[in-house]
Amino acid sequence: MEYIALGEDAELPVEIIEGGRRVVVGGQTRSVDMQDIGDHSLFSLLVDNSSYEVLIEEQGGQLRVLLQGRLYTFQVESRDRHRLSKVAGRPAAPLGKVEIRAPMPGIIVSVPVTVGQAVSAGDVLVILESMKMENEVRAPKDGIVQTVGVAAGELVSGQQLLLVVE
Amino acid sequence: MFKKVLVANRGEIAVRVLRACKDLGLATVAVYSDADRGALHVRYADEAYCIGAAPARESYLRMERIIEVAKKADVDAIHPGYGFLGENPEFARACEAADVIFVGPTAATLELVGNKIAARRLMADSGIPVIAGSGEQWSQDKGLAETGQRIGFPLLVKAAAGGGGKGMRIVRSAEKLADAVALASREAEASFGDGTVYLERLIEGVRHIEFQIVADEHGSAIHLGERECSIQRRFQKLIEEAPSRALDPELRERMGEVALQVARVSGYTNAGTVEFLLDKQRDFYFLEVNPRLQVEHPVSEMVTGVDIVKEQLRIASGRKLRYTQEDIRPNGWAIECRVLAEDPDDGFVPSVGRVGRVFEPAGPGVRVDSGIYEGFEVSPYYDSLISKLITWGDTRPEALVRMQRALEEYRIVGIKTTIPFYQRLLKSFRFIVGQLDTDFLDKACYPEPEDEPMHLEAAAIAATLRFYRRSPRPRTVTAPSNEAGASNWKRSGRWRSTNRWST
């Protein structure tokens, strides 16, 4: 299987062969062995005989890889898909209905908008307190507030729906 | 000595105090909120009492409820830790009224040093150097603008009852002053219930140097040397070390003397910290007294060998200091990194949730003061400090290399932490040579470590393998050329949709 790992400023083709026991990268074939050592997030990785520990997390469709204190962010695509997306271009700003969700668990401090209110991209929709810090949740696009599902003082879980903007 | 002590706190500091109690052979009592039933301090104490709901003002800040538990459990003393009721004179007084010893200075001292304006005036009157305009307020006849002009810009607006960077604003020009004062006052009112603010000249490029003092109730006081806490983000300390590169024995002795003078004039007893700013001309200024156990106390413990919490308990029970100033001979170097549940790669936003796995560093010269464990739920109700990593070495470079090793060994899975941030920061040239000042992070002058090409490749391999394993794999493919495209489309779609709302 051929993949492209798209980094911040690098595009690395990685081919996985022999059912994941070897990879071809940079013209070299290397044996690889990646073992889960913690909660499907922490892995021990052997590349030939070099030993690494990597913490991998998925976030917003990207893979965040933490290796020796350095964060590498990749979008991995199959080579075919990569070719297509290059032709199609990247999707622009979100269209239509946008569900605004809590970026983290916390306590709602205030909701400075009401249903029916017009908002512009960047406007503060909700102020959420977590660990004694206030965090502003902002509108990703222009639109009208359709529904507001939370009120000040309420405890919300991560990813809980806060409001809808259309 | 006491027989039984209540620890009125949570998290790593509650655990730290419980350990000292156990080392002294004392029985222990923990208090906890609904959110902390499973917390370490509840598990480590001999007895535990629920004191209310998760928000601090409904539990850890409820004086009358904590006193009630103290009476019921029949304890001799209450150790408040830092934060919450740590330096609250009203609480100290409530303890006294209930015939329970408050482990800390007297209520009168807490009141005196708690008001920064009064404290600075007292120090200035005692001939202790304070910063220009320190404690300066304004009145009707001597307007705000005029006062600001006289002190000069840039200046700081600070809360009289302040701490932890709350109610604090930097003002660089006269026209911004009124707004900054209003904002700081509102923040101070919200945080401390007292909106009084004052002005002070801002000196940039200074070091934050503080002295640990310990005083008994029989008139003896010593200092345990200095700590440097110049690495701060938004007035919050992140990395501390002891001793400081900036002090030589002569300056150390002079500053230590002044620290003890501060202790004397404020009638200080028990453990505390005297904070100073040290400028490039090696002039130092009194900043404030922190009348409590400090977050960063372990670095002093590591170089002096004194268990500060044990000393606090001994002193509070009426005993004499076990040490004279001559007994304190700091040895080697210690560094502390505060591990916060925040994402350094996303503007330090809080990261809460379940801690999946923890691998703590160990080996020579490593100490971990932690409040978390595998399966622990980091809640949004409290401070983001979850653990402190401290390393010791014969020399600063040895302590530093050990810190780098320990940070790399420290794995916390499930929440994001500031560990990778420290790994990068500690590689910066300026940190390595000890050229520190309080603007270190604001200047963003520490370079990103250079990319190791092998690391980039290993990271790309890891990401690709992860993606490959998570994707539904084509089983026995009879016509690979036909199916590859279709299944890839489906796979990408599914991958996107399952990941959209995950953290």
Side-chain angles (χ1 to χ4, degrees):
Chain A
M1 298 291 296
E2 289 180 59
Y3 296 95
I4 305 282
L6 295 151
E8 280 131 56
D9 38 33
E11 247 187 63
L12 274 101
V14 180
E15 188 183 354
I16 295 182
I17 56 176
E18 294 177 33
R21 285 188 297 277
R22 281 168 185 271
V23 297
V24 183
V25 55
Q28 306 260 350
T29 303
R30 302 184 185 281
S31 57
V32 290
D33 179 6
M34 191 161 86
Q35 299 276 337
D36 184 352
I37 53 168
D39 255 24
H40 316 296
S41 297
L42 185 63
F43 296 88
S44 165
L45 172 67
L46 296 179
V47 180
D48 289 335
N49 292 99
S50 297
S51 171
Y52 303 96
E53 264 184 44
V54 289
L55 195 60
I56 309 178
E57 275 162 347
E58 297 175 356
Q59 192 163 300
Q62 296 204 307
L63 290 161
R64 290 169 44 127
V65 180
L66 204 51
L67 192 154
Q68 301 223 341
R70 181 89 162 85
L71 180 72
Y72 301 88
T73 307
F74 294 105
Q75 169 123 27
V76 182
E77 292 179 342
S78 76
R79 180 176 279 283
D80 299 339
R81 158 108 182 119
H82 180 62
R83 282 201 198 102
L84 281 167
S85 63
K86 259 191 166 167
V87 176
R90 301 267 145 193
L95 297 167
K97 228 182 235 182
V98 180
E99 295 182 339
I100 312 295
R101 288 173 185 272
M104 66 198 83
I107 302 107
I108 303 290
V109 175
S110 68
V111 185
V113 295
T114 49
V115 174
Q117 187 178 329
V119 294
S120 316
D123 284 359
V124 177
L125 302 176
V126 173
I127 297 173
L128 182 68
E129 185 192 311
S130 196
M131 293 176 157
K132 304 199 298 194
M133 281 179 272
E134 290 192 357
N135 305 276
E136 292 171 337
V137 179
R138 291 169 180 275
K141 59 166 231 162
D142 298 352
I144 308 286
V145 177
Q146 298 293 317
T147 59
V148 175
V150 291
E154 204 174 308
L155 178 71
V156 295
S157 56
Q159 302 306 327
Q160 184 176 327
L161 181 66
L162 303 175
L163 41 80
V164 176
V165 174
E166 184 162 6
Chain B
M1 189 32 109
F2 309 128
K3 291 207 165 48
K4 200 176 191 183
V5 174
L6 183 150
V7 181
N9 215 302
R10 65 176 304 283
E12 68 84 20
I13 199 61
V15 173
R16 168 71 189 91
V17 175
L18 288 170
R19 283 183 171 140
C21 292
K22 295 204 170 191
D23 287 349
L24 283 167
L26 311 178
T28 52
V29 177
V31 290
Y32 63 95
S33 75
D34 289 342
D36 276 338
R37 171 60 190 86
L40 266 192
H41 71 287
V42 176
R43 296 169 48 193
Y44 281 10
D46 298 324
E47 294 171 39
Y49 296 81
C50 182
I51 50 168
R57 61 190 163 277
E58 291 169 43
S59 48
Y60 296 106
L61 290 172
R62 281 177 66 189
M63 300 184 208
E64 74 309 328
R65 179 77 183 109
I66 292 168
I67 299 277
E68 206 179 291
V69 170
K71 298 301 275 180
K72 190 173 169 200
D74 195 21
V75 303
D76 307 300
I78 298 182
H79 193 303
Y82 56 69
F84 299 128
L85 302 169
E87 44 200 290
N88 189 319
E90 206 188 320
F91 184 60
R93 216 159 262 139
C95 288
E96 200 181 336
D99 212 15
V100 177
I101 287 172
F102 173 85
V103 180
T106 62
T109 301
L110 288 175
E111 224 144 51
L112 174 71
V113 302
N115 184 323
K116 313 256 156 111
I117 298 172
R120 277 172 211 223
R121 198 165 297 143
L122 172 68
M123 297 313 156
D125 290 346
S126 311
I128 291 163
V130 297
I131 296 164
S134 213
E136 186 90 42
Q137 283 176 288
W138 50 94
S139 51
Q140 293 291 346
D141 51 310
K142 212 172 67 179
L144 173 63
E146 197 186 313
T147 309
Q149 278 309 338
R150 203 169 47 70
I151 294 170
F153 294 90
L155 58 74
L156 270 175
V157 183
K158 295 170 99 171
K166 293 253 169 66
M168 208 146 145
R169 285 282 179 290
I170 295 174
V171 187
R172 297 195 179 276
S173 60
E175 60 269 24
K176 300 253 169 71
L177 184 59
D179 281 351
V181 164
L183 217 68
S185 177
R186 216 166 36 238
E187 218 172 277
E189 177 69 44
S191 298
F192 315 110
D194 176 0
T196 313
V197 295
Y198 63 93
L199 307 181
E200 177 181 289
R201 175 85 203 200
L202 172 69
I203 314 176
E204 288 172 292
V206 292
R207 290 175 186 252
H208 177 112
I209 305 286
E210 59 184 32
F211 274 73
Q212 175 71 51
I213 53 172
V214 189
D216 67 17
E217 291 163 4
H218 308 278
S220 304
I222 58 166
H223 69 79
L224 303 183
E226 81 278 12
R227 294 185 286 258
E228 169 151 15
C229 318
S230 297
I231 303 295
Q232 306 184 356
R233 185 179 168 274
R234 296 184 183 164
F235 305 114
Q236 305 259 18
K237 298 166 189 168
L238 292 178
I239 302 179
E240 301 97 349
E241 57 185 283
S244 163
R245 283 285 316 258
L247 270 61
D248 56 21
E250 181 269 326
L251 183 56
R252 178 169 301 121
E253 202 183 317
R254 259 195 310 135
M255 291 181 79
E257 268 309 310
V258 174
L260 290 176
Q261 194 189 342
V262 169
R264 269 195 305 276
V265 300
S266 51
Y268 207 93
T269 50
N270 216 286
T273 297
V274 181
E275 296 190 331
F276 296 102
L277 289 182
L278 177 69
D279 69 14
K280 292 190 176 108
Q281 288 74 44
R282 290 163 49 95
D283 287 326
F284 60 89
Y285 306 91
F286 167 79
L287 205 54
E288 62 186 62
V289 177
N290 294 136
R292 55 176 148 85
L293 183 65
Q294 292 270 87
V295 175
E296 60 271 25
H297 76 276
V299 291
S300 298
E301 294 186 326
M302 298 292 270
V303 294
T304 60
V306 175
D307 183 327
I308 296 170
V309 185
K310 260 167 82 172
E311 279 316 301
Q312 282 193 294
L313 291 161
R314 292 174 53 90
I315 289 167
S317 76
R319 295 210 184 166
K320 286 187 175 165
L321 259 179
R322 282 195 296 177
Y323 306 91
T324 63
Q325 193 62 57
E326 289 67 46
D327 294 332
I328 305 302
R329 297 179 186 282
N331 174 31
W333 214 282
I335 302 177
E336 172 182 278
C337 287
R338 298 188 183 192
V339 179
L340 310 177
E342 295 177 16
D343 184 356
D345 293 302
D346 187 12
F348 291 85
V349 297
S351 177
V352 303
R354 189 176 171 276
V355 176
R357 297 301 306 271
V358 180
F359 297 89
E360 280 187 357
V366 175
R367 167 173 167 180
V368 182
D369 278 21
S370 166
I372 62 162
Y373 58 89
E374 289 183 358
F376 180 69
E377 197 78 39
V378 177
S379 91
Y381 291 104
Y382 313 110
D383 199 88
S384 61
L385 179 71
I386 49 170
S387 166
K388 300 181 310 206
L389 175 57
I390 305 106
T391 59
W392 179 90
D394 251 341
T395 58
R396 188 172 187 270
E398 189 180 51
L400 200 56
V401 169
R402 276 194 177 142
M403 181 56 83
Q404 284 169 343
R405 162 176 73 77
L407 285 166
E408 176 58 21
E409 276 180 41
Y410 207 166
R411 308 265 181 232
I412 300 175
V413 180
I415 53 166
K416 297 191 179 68
T417 75
T418 47
I419 291 171
F421 171 75
Y422 296 130
Q423 287 185 276
R424 286 168 240 162
L425 184 83
L426 261 56
K427 285 183 188 141
S428 80
F429 178 75
R430 270 191 61 198
F431 191 89
I432 290 168
V433 299
Q435 265 177 33
L436 314 179
D437 64 52
T438 51
D439 308 321
F440 191 93
L441 294 180
D442 296 332
K443 285 187 201 138
C445 51
Y446 66 96
E448 279 281 305
E450 272 181 41
D451 245 334
E452 285 263 356
M454 286 309 293
H455 288 177
L456 174 66
E457 195 178 291
I461 290 170
T464 311
L465 280 172
R466 167 76 162 170
F467 182 74
Y468 167 82
R469 288 183 189 174
R470 290 291 289 262
S471 318
R473 230 156 303 154
R475 287 171 204 129
T476 329
V477 180
T478 39
S481 56
N482 273 348
E483 263 189 34
S487 65
N488 270 339
W489 270 110
K490 232 181 279 169
R491 178 184 314 148
S492 314
R494 204 169 305 148
W495 183 62
R496 267 219 312 269
S497 67
T498 51
N499 281 291
R500 184 170 302 161
W501 307 128
S502 69
T503 319

